[in-house]
Structure formats: C-alpha cells, structure tokens
C-alpha cells in the first residue's frame, strides 16, 4: 500500500502551488466544507466498491455450492453479479477520475512548453466534463425511462443497472469543481489498486 502520491512521468497537470505559512492560502470555510464533502463521497464510493466486490465473491461461492453440492441452482446469481459489476465499474471510474489515475497518453502534452501545459490540462478537463455532462443527462433519462419495466429472475427494474452511470457522473462533476478549488487535486494521488 502506498503512503504518498505516485506521480506519472511527464504528467501534464499544472503544478500545485507551494505551501507556505501564509494563512491566506488556506481554503475558506465553504471551500473546506466542499472538500470534506468530496472526501466523504469518495469514502462512500470506496465502501460501495468494496462491498460489491465482496458480495460478488460470496454470491459466486454460494452459486457453486447450490449448483454442485445441493443440485439446486439459484436463478438470480448472474443478474445480481452483473449489476454489482456494473456499479463497481462506474463508481470505481469516478474515484479514479478524482485521483487522476485513468490511463492517459500525455507524451505530446509533456513536450509542450510549460506555459501551454496548464492550458492543455484545462482543455482536456473541459472535454472530459462535456462528455460527463452528456453521459449524465442521457443515462438519467434512460434510467427514468426503464423504471416501469422489470427483467430477470428477480423481477427488478433495469434502472438499478443504469442508475450507476448518473451516480458516477455526478461524482465526477463534483470532483471537477474540486479541481478548480483545490490545485493539489490536479496531481495524481495514490496508485490504482490503493484502497
């Protein structure tokens, strides 16, 4: 487990401002509350991901036991495992977005003069935000549209599958604002497997 930030060589993000004893550099009470909210959302997301992973393992073990030892397969195993995997993917993507740990090809940005690196960082972030907002709108619409439907052995609405996308997008929009307010969030932190 890593104890400090891990930085990618050639990362194009703007450097964090130097820390000094100047109290004017500290965030105000509203910004501090917002940053704590982001931390809380991230911790809740990590709990969701960890719980879902544990549930998939337990469900798979139960499926093996019931199918091969009791000769009575459980019908809903695949449906629940798929739903949990989708939630792991989307919530995990939001957490990785906050930590700047998504795969990025920043070789060309690394070759830019330093004054253009900050501008290119924000252009890329605005393009990301555009995609996130579009995905949020259409995935929320899809989730609402499928609410009356039911599917599978559990007769649950497929909205449980689709709702993971707007939740993830809302988290990423929150983290985008955090990057504006806190320059230290523009640098990669941790490693992808860090929990």
């Amino acid at each position: 487990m890593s104890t400090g930030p891990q930085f990618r060589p050639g990362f194009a993000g703007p450097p964090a401002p130097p820390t000094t004893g100047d109290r004017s550099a500290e965030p105000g009470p509203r910004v501090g509350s917002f940053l704590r909210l982001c931390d809380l959302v991230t911790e809740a997301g990590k709990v969701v991901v960890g719980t879902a992973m544990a549930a998939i393992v337990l469900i798979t073990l139960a499926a093996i036991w019931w199918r091969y030892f009791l000769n009575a397969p459980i019908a809903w195993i695949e449906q629940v495992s798929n739903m949990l995997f989708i939630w792991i993917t989307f919530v995990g993507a939001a957490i990785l977005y906050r930590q700047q740990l998504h795969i990025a090809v920043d070789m060309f940005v690394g070759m830019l003069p330093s004054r253009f690196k900050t501008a290119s960082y924000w252009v890329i972030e605005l393009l990301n935000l555009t995609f996130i907002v579009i995905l949020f709108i259409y995935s929320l619409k899809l989730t609402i549209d499928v609410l009356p439907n039911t599917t599978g052995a559990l007769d649950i609405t497929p909205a449980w599958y689709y709702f993971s996308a707007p939740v993830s997008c809302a988290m990423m929009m929150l983290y985008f604002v955090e990057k504006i307010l806190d320059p230290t969030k523009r640098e990669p932190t941790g490693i992808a497997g860090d929990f």
Side-chain angles (χ1 to χ4, degrees):
M1 182 181 265
S2 173
T3 57
Q6 302 289 322
F7 298 102
R8 293 184 300 216
F11 176 69
T19 56
T20 63
D22 182 16
R23 294 197 49 85
S24 64
E26 292 180 14
R30 288 186 182 167
V31 172
S33 296
F34 183 80
L35 297 178
R36 283 190 296 279
L37 172 67
C38 291
D39 290 339
L40 182 66
V41 168
T42 300
E43 290 306 313
K46 288 180 178 182
V47 168
V48 167
V49 169
T51 304
M53 289 173 71
I56 288 175
V57 170
L58 293 175
I59 287 170
T60 303
L61 292 173
I64 293 168
W65 178 261
W66 259 266
R67 176 176 294 271
Y68 294 108
F69 294 104
L70 301 179
N71 202 20
I74 303 172
W76 51 265
I77 295 287
E78 182 181 356
Q79 184 179 6
V80 173
S81 293
N82 286 343
M83 184 176 14
L84 292 172
F85 185 72
I86 290 167
W87 276 89
I88 289 169
T89 301
F90 277 96
V91 174
I95 293 168
L96 289 175
Y97 175 76
R98 183 185 193 208
Q99 296 176 330
Q100 295 282 335
L101 292 176
H102 278 287
I103 295 173
V105 180
D106 54 5
M107 178 180 76
F108 298 113
V109 176
M111 290 191 281
L112 291 173
S114 60
R115 66 177 188 257
F116 293 121
K117 287 182 182 178
T118 301
S120 66
Y121 172 82
W122 285 111
V123 166
I124 292 167
E125 284 299 316
L126 287 172
L127 289 172
N128 284 339
L129 181 65
T130 303
F131 174 77
I132 291 166
V133 169
I134 291 169
L135 180 61
F136 176 78
I137 292 168
Y138 285 101
S139 62
L140 188 59
K141 182 184 179 321
L142 179 62
T143 302
I144 293 168
D145 288 347
V146 300
L147 268 173
N149 303 342
T150 59
T151 183
L154 291 177
D155 271 343
I156 61 172
T157 178
W160 283 105
Y161 292 92
Y162 300 129
F163 192 58
S164 61
V167 167
S168 173
C169 290
M171 290 171 69
M172 287 190 264
M173 287 186 278
L174 186 75
Y175 299 149
F176 179 83
V177 174
E178 181 186 38
K179 289 177 188 180
I180 293 171
L181 298 175
D182 184 3
T184 63
K185 298 299 181 186
R186 300 175 198 161
E187 294 288 337
T189 57
I191 55 175
D194 224 357
F195 238 70

